[in-house]
């Protein structure tokens, strides 16, 4: 258990170091890096959520249009057979 806790704390420290390297804060402080990351991550997740919702809606519309098109073809074929 102690080893696991140590590993988690080391991972936190390693990630903060990564954030420091990515953001390169002008004040050379770690203060605020985690909050900045959380805000950007939340924005990214929110945008991705709505992109996925739009994809699902577009897919559902495409399926519905294909079904209607197939039904229209069937009806047209039935009309053409009846005319013969």
């Amino acid at each position: 258990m102690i080893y696991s806790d140590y590993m988690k704390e080391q991972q936190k420290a390693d990630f903060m170091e990564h954030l420091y390297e990515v953001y390169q804060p002008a004040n050379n402080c770690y203060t605020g890096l985690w909050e900045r990351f959380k805000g950007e991550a939340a924005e990214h997740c929110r945008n991705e959520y709505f992109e996925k919702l739009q994809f699902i809606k577009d897919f559902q519309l495409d399926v519905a249009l294909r079904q209607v098109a197939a039904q229209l073809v069937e009806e047209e074929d039935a009309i053409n057979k009846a005319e013969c």
Side-chain angles (χ1 to χ4, degrees), residues 9-73:
E9 290 303 314
Q10 186 59 52
Q11 287 175 341
K12 288 179 189 178
D14 291 345
F15 192 71
M16 288 303 296
E17 184 65 30
H18 169 72
L19 291 179
Y20 185 87
E21 291 173 14
V22 169
Y23 292 129
Q24 300 176 351
N27 62 3
N28 297 320
C29 293
Y30 286 82
T31 304
L33 296 180
W34 180 248
E35 285 74 21
R36 182 174 171 186
F37 170 75
K38 287 191 310 184
E40 290 177 1
E43 183 178 345
H44 174 76
C45 288
R46 182 185 61 233
N47 292 341
E48 203 170 87
Y49 169 77
F50 285 108
E51 287 172 8
K52 288 177 182 178
L53 280 182
Q54 188 60 50
F55 176 82
I56 292 168
K57 289 177 185 178
D58 293 346
F59 179 77
Q60 290 171 332
L61 178 60
D62 184 60
V63 168
L65 290 174
R66 288 176 189 266
Q67 290 172 343
V68 169
Q71 185 178 5
L72 289 173
V73 168

